[in-house]
Amino acid sequence: MAIAKRGVPATPSPTFEYAPAPEATDHVRIASKYDLFVGGRFVRAHSRRRFATVNPATEETLSEVAEADEVDVDRAVTAAADAFRSWSALPAARRARYVFRISRLIQERARELAVVETLDGGKPIKESRDVDVPLAAAHFFYYAGWADKLEWAFPNRRPRPLGVAGQVIPWNFPLLMLAWKVAPALAAGNTVVLKPAETTPLTAMLFADVCQQAELPPGVVNIVTGAGETGALVVGHPAVRKVAFTGSTEVGKLIQRQLAGTGKRLTLELGGKAANVVFDDAPLDQAVEGIVNGIYFNQGHVCCAGSRLLVQESIAGPLLEKLKRRLTTLRVGDPLDKNTDVGAINSRQQLDRIEALVRSGVDEGAELYQPECALPERGWWFRPTLFTNVAQSSRIAREEIFGPVLSVLTFRTPDEAVEKANNTPYGLSAGVWTEKGSRILWMAERMRAGVVWANTYNRFDPTSPFGGYKESGFGREGGLHGLAPYVELA
Ligand code: NAD
Ligand code: MG
């Protein structure tokens, strides 16, 4: 982008030339059109409307998907409500078997799912291959294990499924967010109507195919594609008993208002502006890797991204020097290349938002640094970016950018670090880097964040609950906590 010039690296990086190492796509078949998945079958949308999903790295249309209207959503919810009677009455061990089978099929089709995830959303293949898809399989595997053990999950209570769950997911981890939502719902005996995000519907369409392959009873999982309006119809349908939403805080607030007084259960997983706090006794090289992973992973399209780096003042100089040098080695470009570190920005709209916020950072007097790197001509790209001299009041320190942009602030004492870390309307995640175990615990107790990583970042496991405080939402996904929103306890 135009304002790049100011940050040329002080020391030229040792550059290694890599030959291109593209992942093959010939094993993948993307249909030119996808219908809605309702009652176990792909059905034409009543709306007769379609929209394109594109590859953000090339701007080429990959497929046309249906845009579900009110009648379509009603059909999907009705199919889910019908299926609920028999699904919830199945012996739990049989439900477990279906969920387990889904997990195995995701593993079997991992390569195909990873390639489609990368084509549709722009994330590097090494991430979809090594993180998104294996974690999605792991979630189904984990919750399959709970399906016939719910009495042990909630001792001395009688857990009962709720009914139809309406689930709306974002575009940053399409298949993984699907897994976080669908796996616990099914394991607890509920049925599902899921709405994927409009820019990344394709792995959900493949997942519909997986459900058919697993011979999941018709109507247990229904998938309706569309944009925000379709999402609002799913959330608002009177027969939906539980709503799970992941996305922006703005839409989360809308949904909370929409559902007030309806008696529907709700969990919200919204935005974040996490502090990644580095103390002067931290191993700096390790911390640099953690900072890079924290903010440049998935182009920074991560709700728990470590987007505010808080560095202890005494080590800010050497740490930033190492970090800037490291940025020059990040490879930005073709998401299908196995050596790519930073892929394409998910949509034109998201790129506009990132550019506007970065401009505001420059206007507010922060100092911008971007490594020199060539960007492909077509597609949507943004260089890994960091800002120093950031004021706490500046927009880039307060607002979620959801892009590869790091704001660096400093602190002197642990108290000041806590004060600054908590100075945000969000509270999803945080990182602490220090050699002292006691300081990790001291910080974790004081930071208002649902997840605190110590000497690591963006580490996920299906057994561990995830979720926020304050404007980052409420409710937990993952682990035993992730089952609770899907059961009624008698
Ligand atoms: P969004 O909240 O608009 O979209 C998320 C999902 O909600 C999509 O499936 C969308 O179709 C659906 N949706 C939109 N309006 C709806 C409504 N009124 N009722 C029900 N569903 C609705 O997010 P976005 O516009 O794609 O991204 C905007 C910002 O949101 C990003 O810049 C980022 O800050 C944040 N975001 C956060 C996460 C997260 O993981 N927490 C994910 C995506 C985006
Ligand atoms: Mg797409």
Side-chain angles (χ1 to χ4, degrees), residues 29-45:
R29 231 196 89 255
I30 296 175
S32 60
K33 289 186 172 68
Y34 284 97
D35 292 326
L36 304 172
F37 186 63
V38 176
R41 292 183 305 123
F42 284 94
V43 297
R44 286 284 294 277

mmCIF file with all atom_site columns, all heavy atoms in Angstrom, residues 29-45:
data_model
loop_
_atom_site.group_PDB
_atom_site.id
_atom_site.type_symbol
_atom_site.label_atom_id
_atom_site.label_alt_id
_atom_site.label_comp_id
_atom_site.label_asym_id
_atom_site.label_entity_id
_atom_site.label_seq_id
_atom_site.pdbx_PDB_ins_code
_atom_site.Cartn_x
_atom_site.Cartn_y
_atom_site.Cartn_z
_atom_site.occupancy
_atom_site.B_iso_or_equiv
_atom_site.pdbx_formal_charge
_atom_site.auth_seq_id
_atom_site.auth_comp_id
_atom_site.auth_asym_id
_atom_site.auth_atom_id
_atom_site.pdbx_PDB_model_num
ATOM 1   N N   . ARG A 1 29 ? -12.284 -31.558 -6.128  1.00 0.00 ? 29 ARG A N   1
ATOM 2   C CA  . ARG A 1 29 ? -13.348 -31.209 -7.080  1.00 0.00 ? 29 ARG A CA  1
ATOM 3   C C   . ARG A 1 29 ? -14.300 -30.221 -6.421  1.00 0.00 ? 29 ARG A C   1
ATOM 4   O O   . ARG A 1 29 ? -14.978 -30.548 -5.454  1.00 0.00 ? 29 ARG A O   1
ATOM 5   C CB  . ARG A 1 29 ? -14.122 -32.456 -7.495  1.00 0.00 ? 29 ARG A CB  1
ATOM 6   C CG  . ARG A 1 29 ? -14.250 -32.592 -9.008  1.00 0.00 ? 29 ARG A CG  1
ATOM 7   C CD  . ARG A 1 29 ? -15.326 -33.578 -9.414  1.00 0.00 ? 29 ARG A CD  1
ATOM 8   N NE  . ARG A 1 29 ? -16.626 -32.947 -9.549  1.00 0.00 ? 29 ARG A NE  1
ATOM 9   C CZ  . ARG A 1 29 ? -17.623 -33.047 -8.686  1.00 0.00 ? 29 ARG A CZ  1
ATOM 10  N NH1 . ARG A 1 29 ? -17.495 -33.759 -7.616  1.00 0.00 ? 29 ARG A NH1 1
ATOM 11  N NH2 . ARG A 1 29 ? -18.772 -32.428 -8.902  1.00 0.00 ? 29 ARG A NH2 1
ATOM 12  N N   . ILE A 1 30 ? -14.301 -29.005 -6.918  1.00 0.00 ? 30 ILE A N   1
ATOM 13  C CA  . ILE A 1 30 ? -15.251 -28.016 -6.411  1.00 0.00 ? 30 ILE A CA  1
ATOM 14  C C   . ILE A 1 30 ? -16.362 -27.893 -7.444  1.00 0.00 ? 30 ILE A C   1
ATOM 15  O O   . ILE A 1 30 ? -16.080 -27.623 -8.621  1.00 0.00 ? 30 ILE A O   1
ATOM 16  C CB  . ILE A 1 30 ? -14.561 -26.654 -6.186  1.00 0.00 ? 30 ILE A CB  1
ATOM 17  C CG1 . ILE A 1 30 ? -13.478 -26.781 -5.098  1.00 0.00 ? 30 ILE A CG1 1
ATOM 18  C CG2 . ILE A 1 30 ? -15.579 -25.594 -5.781  1.00 0.00 ? 30 ILE A CG2 1
ATOM 19  C CD1 . ILE A 1 30 ? -12.659 -25.522 -4.872  1.00 0.00 ? 30 ILE A CD1 1
ATOM 20  N N   . ALA A 1 31 ? -17.603 -28.112 -7.018  1.00 0.00 ? 31 ALA A N   1
ATOM 21  C CA  . ALA A 1 31 ? -18.725 -28.020 -7.958  1.00 0.00 ? 31 ALA A CA  1
ATOM 22  C C   . ALA A 1 31 ? -18.920 -26.562 -8.357  1.00 0.00 ? 31 ALA A C   1
ATOM 23  O O   . ALA A 1 31 ? -18.570 -25.651 -7.603  1.00 0.00 ? 31 ALA A O   1
ATOM 24  C CB  . ALA A 1 31 ? -19.990 -28.563 -7.307  1.00 0.00 ? 31 ALA A CB  1
ATOM 25  N N   . SER A 1 32 ? -19.475 -26.356 -9.554  1.00 0.00 ? 32 SER A N   1
ATOM 26  C CA  . SER A 1 32 ? -19.674 -24.972 -9.986  1.00 0.00 ? 32 SER A CA  1
ATOM 27  C C   . SER A 1 32 ? -20.838 -24.329 -9.237  1.00 0.00 ? 32 SER A C   1
ATOM 28  O O   . SER A 1 32 ? -20.916 -23.111 -9.135  1.00 0.00 ? 32 SER A O   1
ATOM 29  C CB  . SER A 1 32 ? -19.901 -24.911 -11.496 1.00 0.00 ? 32 SER A CB  1
ATOM 30  O OG  . SER A 1 32 ? -21.049 -25.669 -11.809 1.00 0.00 ? 32 SER A OG  1
ATOM 31  N N   . LYS A 1 33 ? -21.732 -25.170 -8.693  1.00 0.00 ? 33 LYS A N   1
ATOM 32  C CA  . LYS A 1 33 ? -22.865 -24.666 -7.916  1.00 0.00 ? 33 LYS A CA  1
ATOM 33  C C   . LYS A 1 33 ? -23.103 -25.569 -6.715  1.00 0.00 ? 33 LYS A C   1
ATOM 34  O O   . LYS A 1 33 ? -22.945 -26.787 -6.823  1.00 0.00 ? 33 LYS A O   1
ATOM 35  C CB  . LYS A 1 33 ? -24.144 -24.721 -8.768  1.00 0.00 ? 33 LYS A CB  1
ATOM 36  C CG  . LYS A 1 33 ? -24.203 -23.720 -9.889  1.00 0.00 ? 33 LYS A CG  1
ATOM 37  C CD  . LYS A 1 33 ? -25.594 -23.808 -10.527 1.00 0.00 ? 33 LYS A CD  1
ATOM 38  C CE  . LYS A 1 33 ? -25.808 -22.700 -11.542 1.00 0.00 ? 33 LYS A CE  1
ATOM 39  N NZ  . LYS A 1 33 ? -24.957 -22.856 -12.732 1.00 0.00 ? 33 LYS A NZ  1
ATOM 40  N N   . TYR A 1 34 ? -23.489 -24.973 -5.601  1.00 0.00 ? 34 TYR A N   1
ATOM 41  C CA  . TYR A 1 34 ? -23.904 -25.766 -4.438  1.00 0.00 ? 34 TYR A CA  1
ATOM 42  C C   . TYR A 1 34 ? -25.305 -25.344 -3.998  1.00 0.00 ? 34 TYR A C   1
ATOM 43  O O   . TYR A 1 34 ? -25.603 -24.145 -3.916  1.00 0.00 ? 34 TYR A O   1
ATOM 44  C CB  . TYR A 1 34 ? -22.929 -25.584 -3.272  1.00 0.00 ? 34 TYR A CB  1
ATOM 45  C CG  . TYR A 1 34 ? -21.634 -26.340 -3.460  1.00 0.00 ? 34 TYR A CG  1
ATOM 46  C CD1 . TYR A 1 34 ? -20.506 -25.699 -3.958  1.00 0.00 ? 34 TYR A CD1 1
ATOM 47  C CD2 . TYR A 1 34 ? -21.548 -27.700 -3.154  1.00 0.00 ? 34 TYR A CD2 1
ATOM 48  C CE1 . TYR A 1 34 ? -19.312 -26.392 -4.142  1.00 0.00 ? 34 TYR A CE1 1
ATOM 49  C CE2 . TYR A 1 34 ? -20.358 -28.399 -3.332  1.00 0.00 ? 34 TYR A CE2 1
ATOM 50  C CZ  . TYR A 1 34 ? -19.250 -27.738 -3.828  1.00 0.00 ? 34 TYR A CZ  1
ATOM 51  O OH  . TYR A 1 34 ? -18.076 -28.430 -4.012  1.00 0.00 ? 34 TYR A OH  1
ATOM 52  N N   . ASP A 1 35 ? -26.132 -26.350 -3.700  1.00 0.00 ? 35 ASP A N   1
ATOM 53  C CA  . ASP A 1 35 ? -27.461 -26.085 -3.157  1.00 0.00 ? 35 ASP A CA  1
ATOM 54  C C   . ASP A 1 35 ? -27.389 -26.086 -1.630  1.00 0.00 ? 35 ASP A C   1
ATOM 55  O O   . ASP A 1 35 ? -26.317 -26.238 -1.048  1.00 0.00 ? 35 ASP A O   1
ATOM 56  C CB  . ASP A 1 35 ? -28.439 -27.150 -3.669  1.00 0.00 ? 35 ASP A CB  1
ATOM 57  C CG  . ASP A 1 35 ? -28.672 -27.012 -5.171  1.00 0.00 ? 35 ASP A CG  1
ATOM 58  O OD1 . ASP A 1 35 ? -28.660 -25.863 -5.664  1.00 0.00 ? 35 ASP A OD1 1
ATOM 59  O OD2 . ASP A 1 35 ? -28.851 -28.042 -5.847  1.00 0.00 ? 35 ASP A OD2 1
ATOM 60  N N   . LEU A 1 36 ? -28.536 -25.970 -1.001  1.00 0.00 ? 36 LEU A N   1
ATOM 61  C CA  . LEU A 1 36 ? -28.583 -25.995 0.468   1.00 0.00 ? 36 LEU A CA  1
ATOM 62  C C   . LEU A 1 36 ? -28.597 -27.440 0.938   1.00 0.00 ? 36 LEU A C   1
ATOM 63  O O   . LEU A 1 36 ? -29.066 -28.338 0.221   1.00 0.00 ? 36 LEU A O   1
ATOM 64  C CB  . LEU A 1 36 ? -29.841 -25.269 0.953   1.00 0.00 ? 36 LEU A CB  1
ATOM 65  C CG  . LEU A 1 36 ? -29.979 -23.827 0.467   1.00 0.00 ? 36 LEU A CG  1
ATOM 66  C CD1 . LEU A 1 36 ? -31.345 -23.265 0.848   1.00 0.00 ? 36 LEU A CD1 1
ATOM 67  C CD2 . LEU A 1 36 ? -28.864 -22.953 1.045   1.00 0.00 ? 36 LEU A CD2 1
ATOM 68  N N   . PHE A 1 37 ? -28.086 -27.676 2.131   1.00 0.00 ? 37 PHE A N   1
ATOM 69  C CA  . PHE A 1 37 ? -28.095 -29.042 2.686   1.00 0.00 ? 37 PHE A CA  1
ATOM 70  C C   . PHE A 1 37 ? -29.180 -29.110 3.756   1.00 0.00 ? 37 PHE A C   1
ATOM 71  O O   . PHE A 1 37 ? -29.025 -28.619 4.864   1.00 0.00 ? 37 PHE A O   1
ATOM 72  C CB  . PHE A 1 37 ? -26.723 -29.367 3.268   1.00 0.00 ? 37 PHE A CB  1
ATOM 73  C CG  . PHE A 1 37 ? -26.598 -30.792 3.732   1.00 0.00 ? 37 PHE A CG  1
ATOM 74  C CD1 . PHE A 1 37 ? -26.701 -31.853 2.827   1.00 0.00 ? 37 PHE A CD1 1
ATOM 75  C CD2 . PHE A 1 37 ? -26.380 -31.086 5.072   1.00 0.00 ? 37 PHE A CD2 1
ATOM 76  C CE1 . PHE A 1 37 ? -26.574 -33.177 3.258   1.00 0.00 ? 37 PHE A CE1 1
ATOM 77  C CE2 . PHE A 1 37 ? -26.249 -32.398 5.502   1.00 0.00 ? 37 PHE A CE2 1
ATOM 78  C CZ  . PHE A 1 37 ? -26.341 -33.446 4.594   1.00 0.00 ? 37 PHE A CZ  1
ATOM 79  N N   . VAL A 1 38 ? -30.301 -29.713 3.371   1.00 0.00 ? 38 VAL A N   1
ATOM 80  C CA  . VAL A 1 38 ? -31.469 -29.740 4.260   1.00 0.00 ? 38 VAL A CA  1
ATOM 81  C C   . VAL A 1 38 ? -32.045 -31.154 4.284   1.00 0.00 ? 38 VAL A C   1
ATOM 82  O O   . VAL A 1 38 ? -32.261 -31.751 3.222   1.00 0.00 ? 38 VAL A O   1
ATOM 83  C CB  . VAL A 1 38 ? -32.559 -28.745 3.781   1.00 0.00 ? 38 VAL A CB  1
ATOM 84  C CG1 . VAL A 1 38 ? -33.806 -28.840 4.657   1.00 0.00 ? 38 VAL A CG1 1
ATOM 85  C CG2 . VAL A 1 38 ? -32.014 -27.316 3.787   1.00 0.00 ? 38 VAL A CG2 1
ATOM 86  N N   . GLY A 1 39 ? -32.280 -31.676 5.473   1.00 0.00 ? 39 GLY A N   1
ATOM 87  C CA  . GLY A 1 39 ? -32.877 -33.003 5.597   1.00 0.00 ? 39 GLY A CA  1
ATOM 88  C C   . GLY A 1 39 ? -32.023 -34.093 4.965   1.00 0.00 ? 39 GLY A C   1
ATOM 89  O O   . GLY A 1 39 ? -32.547 -35.065 4.420   1.00 0.00 ? 39 GLY A O   1
ATOM 90  N N   . GLY A 1 40 ? -30.707 -33.914 5.008   1.00 0.00 ? 40 GLY A N   1
ATOM 91  C CA  . GLY A 1 40 ? -29.801 -34.954 4.512   1.00 0.00 ? 40 GLY A CA  1
ATOM 92  C C   . GLY A 1 40 ? -29.553 -34.925 3.018   1.00 0.00 ? 40 GLY A C   1
ATOM 93  O O   . GLY A 1 40 ? -28.835 -35.762 2.484   1.00 0.00 ? 40 GLY A O   1
ATOM 94  N N   . ARG A 1 41 ? -30.165 -33.943 2.317   1.00 0.00 ? 41 ARG A N   1
ATOM 95  C CA  . ARG A 1 41 ? -29.986 -33.874 0.862   1.00 0.00 ? 41 ARG A CA  1
ATOM 96  C C   . ARG A 1 41 ? -29.608 -32.454 0.446   1.00 0.00 ? 41 ARG A C   1
ATOM 97  O O   . ARG A 1 41 ? -29.918 -31.500 1.150   1.00 0.00 ? 41 ARG A O   1
ATOM 98  C CB  . ARG A 1 41 ? -31.292 -34.253 0.153   1.00 0.00 ? 41 ARG A CB  1
ATOM 99  C CG  . ARG A 1 41 ? -31.680 -35.718 0.330   1.00 0.00 ? 41 ARG A CG  1
ATOM 100 C CD  . ARG A 1 41 ? -32.937 -36.052 -0.466  1.00 0.00 ? 41 ARG A CD  1
ATOM 101 N NE  . ARG A 1 41 ? -34.044 -35.145 -0.122  1.00 0.00 ? 41 ARG A NE  1
ATOM 102 C CZ  . ARG A 1 41 ? -34.697 -34.375 -1.006  1.00 0.00 ? 41 ARG A CZ  1
ATOM 103 N NH1 . ARG A 1 41 ? -34.371 -34.393 -2.280  1.00 0.00 ? 41 ARG A NH1 1
ATOM 104 N NH2 . ARG A 1 41 ? -35.681 -33.598 -0.617  1.00 0.00 ? 41 ARG A NH2 1
ATOM 105 N N   . PHE A 1 42 ? -28.991 -32.365 -0.722  1.00 0.00 ? 42 PHE A N   1
ATOM 106 C CA  . PHE A 1 42 ? -28.768 -31.040 -1.294  1.00 0.00 ? 42 PHE A CA  1
ATOM 107 C C   . PHE A 1 42 ? -30.044 -30.634 -2.032  1.00 0.00 ? 42 PHE A C   1
ATOM 108 O O   . PHE A 1 42 ? -30.497 -31.364 -2.920  1.00 0.00 ? 42 PHE A O   1
ATOM 109 C CB  . PHE A 1 42 ? -27.582 -31.068 -2.263  1.00 0.00 ? 42 PHE A CB  1
ATOM 110 C CG  . PHE A 1 42 ? -26.260 -31.118 -1.537  1.00 0.00 ? 42 PHE A CG  1
ATOM 111 C CD1 . PHE A 1 42 ? -25.624 -32.336 -1.282  1.00 0.00 ? 42 PHE A CD1 1
ATOM 112 C CD2 . PHE A 1 42 ? -25.661 -29.952 -1.087  1.00 0.00 ? 42 PHE A CD2 1
ATOM 113 C CE1 . PHE A 1 42 ? -24.421 -32.383 -0.593  1.00 0.00 ? 42 PHE A CE1 1
ATOM 114 C CE2 . PHE A 1 42 ? -24.448 -29.988 -0.404  1.00 0.00 ? 42 PHE A CE2 1
ATOM 115 C CZ  . PHE A 1 42 ? -23.833 -31.213 -0.155  1.00 0.00 ? 42 PHE A CZ  1
ATOM 116 N N   . VAL A 1 43 ? -30.634 -29.516 -1.645  1.00 0.00 ? 43 VAL A N   1
ATOM 117 C CA  . VAL A 1 43 ? -31.903 -29.099 -2.241  1.00 0.00 ? 43 VAL A CA  1
ATOM 118 C C   . VAL A 1 43 ? -31.793 -27.690 -2.815  1.00 0.00 ? 43 VAL A C   1
ATOM 119 O O   . VAL A 1 43 ? -31.116 -26.821 -2.263  1.00 0.00 ? 43 VAL A O   1
ATOM 120 C CB  . VAL A 1 43 ? -33.063 -29.145 -1.215  1.00 0.00 ? 43 VAL A CB  1
ATOM 121 C CG1 . VAL A 1 43 ? -33.301 -30.571 -0.740  1.00 0.00 ? 43 VAL A CG1 1
ATOM 122 C CG2 . VAL A 1 43 ? -32.788 -28.228 -0.033  1.00 0.00 ? 43 VAL A CG2 1
ATOM 123 N N   . ARG A 1 44 ? -32.501 -27.472 -3.922  1.00 0.00 ? 44 ARG A N   1
ATOM 124 C CA  . ARG A 1 44 ? -32.544 -26.146 -4.550  1.00 0.00 ? 44 ARG A CA  1
ATOM 125 C C   . ARG A 1 44 ? -33.139 -25.141 -3.581  1.00 0.00 ? 44 ARG A C   1
ATOM 126 O O   . ARG A 1 44 ? -34.103 -25.436 -2.875  1.00 0.00 ? 44 ARG A O   1
ATOM 127 C CB  . ARG A 1 44 ? -33.431 -26.186 -5.801  1.00 0.00 ? 44 ARG A CB  1
ATOM 128 C CG  . ARG A 1 44 ? -32.820 -26.882 -6.993  1.00 0.00 ? 44 ARG A CG  1
ATOM 129 C CD  . ARG A 1 44 ? -31.762 -26.031 -7.696  1.00 0.00 ? 44 ARG A CD  1
ATOM 130 N NE  . ARG A 1 44 ? -32.313 -24.837 -8.319  1.00 0.00 ? 44 ARG A NE  1
ATOM 131 C CZ  . ARG A 1 44 ? -32.875 -24.835 -9.528  1.00 0.00 ? 44 ARG A CZ  1
ATOM 132 N NH1 . ARG A 1 44 ? -32.957 -25.944 -10.239 1.00 0.00 ? 44 ARG A NH1 1
ATOM 133 N NH2 . ARG A 1 44 ? -33.346 -23.710 -10.049 1.00 0.00 ? 44 ARG A NH2 1
ATOM 134 N N   . ALA A 1 45 ? -32.589 -23.964 -3.563  1.00 0.00 ? 45 ALA A N   1
ATOM 135 C CA  . ALA A 1 45 ? -33.120 -22.937 -2.660  1.00 0.00 ? 45 ALA A CA  1
ATOM 136 C C   . ALA A 1 45 ? -34.442 -22.392 -3.189  1.00 0.00 ? 45 ALA A C   1
ATOM 137 O O   . ALA A 1 45 ? -34.588 -22.182 -4.387  1.00 0.00 ? 45 ALA A O   1
ATOM 138 C CB  . ALA A 1 45 ? -32.114 -21.799 -2.520  1.00 0.00 ? 45 ALA A CB  1
#
